[in-house]
């Protein structure tokens, strides 16, 4: 285990120093291929997704999916470090993608490799290092699910401080176009699209969806973008909003969309960007959750989106690192978090296989 952990940390250094923005992950995909080659593990690849099965895969058994992603967001403007330089300082490994989700990915690769050649397991394993997670792109995990065999449940590697995220909010992004009547700003106009938009914004700010989840709490809607007008002396004919809605497991995205449409005034046109990114969960009495609890792990509901949203099977979000560091300047993960990640992934899985 120690050798695998050291190799995983070395791989993470290489991943950090290899840019892999969503849809541009070719070079990190090659690094992951090299991991499998060096460990004599056959693998398959489509686009920038790479997957592999355990050596003694048995068609009669169900399969555990291990998944994390190797794409990153672009570094924000507040970095003072070089985002593509991996270095350790004060026991922290710095670099873009170190926390989200490089530490999780390399820890899962190490755990999968640990189990790869073991015989007599209760379950099969398949690991998928996926692309386009950060952009929810069409060529990510969703595109290769059709190739995966007999999957019963999944572990999705995202930074959770190795606590058990047994539920995850879905995401519904809405484009809302609020109409009005264009006119010269010097003349009376009771149909200003910007003023009409104020009541729409206020509705999203104050409306409370009725159903509250025990693990995920309330549905949260936030207006995040606004665009209107082209010049100072023209009342615009439209005001366009973008609304980010985090959906709990008491609703599906279609239900939320219908509620919003019914509540909007006639001047507002609502268009969803996608209905596919639903909430996800796993039963608290599922064997993998019970195994984690037995090791002193706590359960909680996660407000952030991951590749869990494209899975139809039960899934647990679990990984080293802290979600609050994700997408932040000077991103880092503690080296000891990676070591703990490898150890706990193996122990939690040993508890059920």
């Amino acid at each position: 285990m120690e050798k695998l952990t050291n190799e995983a940390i070395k791989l993470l250094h290489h991943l950090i120093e290899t840019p892999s923005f969503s849809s541009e992950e070719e070079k990190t995909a090659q690094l992951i291929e090299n991991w499998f080659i060096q460990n004599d593990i056959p693998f398959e690849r489509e686009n920038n997704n790479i997957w592999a099965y355990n050596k003694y895969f048995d068609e009669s058994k169900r399969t555990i999916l291990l998944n994390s992603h190797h794409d990153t967001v672009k570094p924000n403007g507040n970095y003072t470090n070089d985002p593509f330089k991996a270095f350790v300082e004060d026991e922290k490994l710095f670099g873009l993608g170190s926390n989200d989700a490089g530490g999780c990915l390399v820890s899962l690769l190490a755990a999968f490799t640990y189990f790869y050649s073991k015989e007599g397991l209760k379950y099969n394993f398949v690991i998928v290092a996926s692309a386009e997670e950060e952009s929810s792109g069409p060529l990510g995990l969703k595109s290769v699910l059709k190739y995966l065999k007999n999957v019963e449940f999944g572990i999705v590697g995202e930074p959770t401080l190795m606590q058990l995220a047994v539920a995850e909010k879905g995401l519904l992004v809405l484009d809302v176009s609020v109409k009005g009547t264009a006119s010269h700003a010097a003349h009376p106009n009771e149909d200003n699209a910007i003023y009409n938009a104020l009541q729409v914004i206020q509705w999203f700010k104050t409306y409370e969806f009725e159903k509250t989840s025990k693990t995920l709490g309330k549905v949260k809607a936030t207006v995040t973008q606004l665009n209107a007008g082209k010049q100072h002396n023209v009342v615009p004919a439209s005001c366009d909003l973008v609304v980010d809605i985090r959906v709990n497991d008491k609703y599906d995205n279609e239900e939320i969309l219908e509620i919003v449409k019914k509540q909007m005034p006639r001047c507002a046109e609502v268009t969803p960007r996608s209905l596919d990114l639903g909430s996800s969960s796993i039963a608290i009495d599922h064997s993998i959750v019970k195994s984690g609890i037995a090791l002193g792990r706590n359960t909680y509901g996660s407000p952030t989106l991951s590749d869990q949203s494209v899975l139809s099977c039960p899934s647990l979000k679990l990984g080293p690192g802290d979600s609050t560091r994700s997408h932040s300047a000077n991103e880092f993960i503690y080296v000891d978090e990676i070591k703990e990640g490898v150890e706990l992934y193996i122990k939690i899985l040993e508890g059920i296989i």
Side-chain angles (χ1 to χ4, degrees), residues 94-274:
F94 286 88
L96 180 67
S98 55
N99 181 79
D100 183 17
C104 301
L105 176 61
V106 300
S107 297
L108 281 173
L109 283 168
F112 171 82
T113 304
Y114 176 86
F115 288 112
Y116 170 72
S117 59
K118 292 188 180 298
E119 298 184 68
L121 299 177
K122 181 179 176 182
Y123 289 93
N124 299 310
F125 283 105
V126 61
I127 186 166
V128 181
S130 54
E132 296 193 1
E133 189 272 349
E134 295 291 3
S135 62
S136 300
L139 300 181
L141 177 62
K142 185 178 181 179
S143 69
V144 299
L145 292 178
K146 58 183 176 288
Y147 302 123
L148 307 185
K149 306 169 184 175
N150 299 329
V151 174
E152 181 170 302
F153 70 92
I155 295 177
V156 175
E158 290 283 341
T160 70
L161 291 170
M162 290 307 289
Q163 304 302 328
L164 311 170
V166 295
E168 172 187 277
K169 281 188 173 180
L171 173 62
L172 178 62
V173 179
L174 301 178
D175 291 301
V176 182
S177 182
V178 183
K179 305 302 181 183
T181 301
S183 71
H184 195 294
H187 301 304
N189 186 342
E190 298 300 322
D191 193 29
N192 185 320
I194 295 176
Y195 295 163
N196 292 344
L198 292 176
Q199 63 177 309
V200 175
I201 294 170
Q202 185 66 17
W203 184 86
F204 281 112
K205 179 181 179 181
T206 60
Y207 185 79
E208 293 195 7
F209 292 87
E210 182 180 345
K211 301 175 187 176
T212 299
S213 166
K214 184 177 180 181
T215 51
L216 293 173
K218 297 179 179 181
V219 174
K220 185 178 186 299
T222 308
V223 177
T224 55
Q225 293 177 260
L226 184 149
N227 183 54
K230 294 182 179 179
Q231 61 189 66
H232 77 90
N233 59 350
V234 178
V235 175
S238 66
C239 180
D240 298 324
L241 316 175
V242 177
V243 185
D244 177 300
I245 304 181
R246 303 291 165 151
V247 182
N248 67 24
D249 53 350
K250 297 295 184 181
Y251 296 93
D252 58 37
N253 288 356
E254 290 84 355
E255 288 178 286
I256 296 294
L257 177 62
E258 287 307 307
I259 291 171
V260 171
K261 284 185 171 181
K262 287 180 180 178
Q263 294 289 329
M264 288 295 100
R266 289 185 179 181
C267 62
E269 180 180 302
V270 179
T271 305
R273 294 188 179 179
S274 170

Side-chain angles (χ1 to χ4, degrees), residues 336-353:
D336 281 348
E337 289 177 329
I338 301 171
K339 295 176 180 177
E340 180 191 45
V342 177
E343 180 181 4
L344 279 172
Y345 277 141
I346 289 172
K347 286 185 175 180
I348 287 172
L349 289 165
E350 283 180 334
I352 67 168
I353 62 171

